[in-house]
Amino acid sequence: MHPRNKYKDNPPDFSVLAFKYPSFYPFELTYCLLREDFNLFLDIPLDTLCPPIPSRLNYIHWIEDLISSTESHEELGKNTVHGIDIGTGASCIYPLLGCTLNKNWVFLATDIDKKAVKYAKDNVHRNNLDDKITVRRNKTDKKILLNDNMIKDTTIKFSFCMCNPPFYENQEQYEKGVESKITSSHSVCTGSSNEMFTPGGEFQFIKDILEESLILRTKIRWYTSKIGRLETVNKIVCELKKSGIDNYVVTEFCQGLTRRWGIGWSFGSQRPTFSGSQPVSKKLRRSAPPKSEFSVVLPTNVGEIFKFLRNLFDELEVTGQWNEESNTFYGSAQINTWSRAARRAKAKSEAQKTPITQKVGDENLFEFTCNLEPEPLDVSISNTRVIISWTNGKDRNIFESFYLHIKKRLEQEFNDKTASL
Ligand SMILES: C[S@@+](CC[C@H](N)C(=O)[O-])C[C@H]1O[C@@H](n2cnc3c(N)ncnc32)[C@H](O)[C@@H]1O
């Protein structure tokens, strides 16, 4: 479970809740938790999906991490964050939780189902969130984000879209899932048919979002979806690669015995480095995004490395700032000064006393952070882990060549007992 999920080490005390709320039924657990812990009041028809709150929180917290990990320093926490919830359902649960937990979030929530839209609007109104959440009916099931151009034509830049799609193609696929434990008995879904089934199942639904994202591109910074079936994760990652998208994240949501997955992709250049951007499970190794964070451990203390890197960054004409409290350098490179060709050109220009060609335009090649952490591998020796993370940029090769150069120089300087990961 997500570390900030309030139910992680503190599962709900059902006996207390049952005493406090005498009308306590399994279906009403959701109502009680929302009321007790979020001051949210919900009313949903009995024949629709009743959202389990801990699982819904996992997805919301993951989105929070994704957004904060890819926001620039200056942006962080300052601006309104615009999100879209595709298929919000009668509960409108993601927008309600998202806006309650994050005061700067606003949502556009959509659904194709008339009844769901009516209930969702009432739930927003009941909780006085009309100024934060707009519920719109998507009148066509042929389009998801491109319906009546409500997203394409607005000037708003959305930070993310999220979606808990209908998982299954039909009843037969659902029953097969239950039998083969793809759907565990702990997570049996009791939704209405439009909540559970969609032509082509969740794979087709997410693939459709992907196709529309190829038109909308940076209009939405992160396109994300929850995934209910493990096999869909690999299939969607293949589709992303086919579309030339290399900036994506894959995660696993665990809640009790139920496992779900999350996927997100972006056309922006911000690279996420938080722990939830890479799946832990071996089963998902094939789907893991390329790494944006690299580290090397050196047998010396933080102070020595700090001094060395300060000079090295100057030498490489990398600009940035050290935060000395956290031992982190926030840097950017405008020109490649570390490749062999660049070093040869520099040596030549110095010999001939002619200026070397400078960069064209103001764009950074990439941005990165470099963090120094004491590493207590062996108490008798000071070890330091140097973690270099790619935070912004389009060209992975150029960042990786920079990291390899820094690593080589650190190893040359501090030598021998280095172990790298
Ligand atoms: C599994 S339910 C999710 C409900 C809610 N978000 C939750 O997590 O509890 C999927 C929802 O997607 C809606 N839906 C299906 N196709 C859609 C489309 N093309 N555009 C918008 N919503 C759609 C369904 O009506 C249903 O309410």
Side-chain angles (χ1 to χ4, degrees), residues 83-98:
I84 301 167
D85 181 27
I86 301 165
T88 201
S91 63
C92 201
I93 190 65
Y94 287 122
L96 290 181
L97 283 174

Side-chain angles (χ1 to χ4, degrees), residues 49-52 56 85-94 110-113 116 138 140-144 147 163-167 189 194-198 205 226:
L49 185 68
C50 182
R56 297 302 186 268
D85 181 27
I86 301 165
T88 201
S91 63
C92 201
I93 190 65
Y94 287 122
T110 72
D111 208 291
I112 40 166
D113 187 77
N138 177 9
T140 163
D141 60 0
K142 304 275 175 292
K143 292 274 181 342
I144 298 172
N147 47 60
C163 176
N164 178 15
F167 289 165
C189 185
N194 67 300
E195 289 176 313
M196 292 175 66
F197 309 122
T198 185
F205 201 89
K226 191 168 164 181

Side-chain angles (χ1 to χ4, degrees), residues 41-64:
F41 297 83
L42 205 64
D43 179 27
I44 46 179
L46 284 168
D47 60 349
T48 58
L49 185 68
C50 182
I53 302 309
S55 115
R56 297 302 186 268
L57 277 179
N58 274 337
Y59 190 4
I60 289 283
H61 288 318
W62 181 66
I63 295 271
E64 289 167 354

Side-chain angles (χ1 to χ4, degrees), residues 335-371:
I335 41 170
N336 179 342
T337 52
W338 53 90
S339 69
R340 211 170 275 165
R343 280 179 285 139
R344 261 203 309 268
K346 190 175 180 196
K348 194 171 156 196
S349 81
E350 276 169 5
Q352 296 176 350
K353 297 200 166 68
T354 53
I356 47 171
T357 323
Q358 285 299 318
K359 64 161 188 156
V360 187
D362 283 332
E363 246 187 61
N364 290 331
L365 283 181
F366 60 82
E367 291 166 20
F368 69 100
T369 60
C370 173
N371 175 239

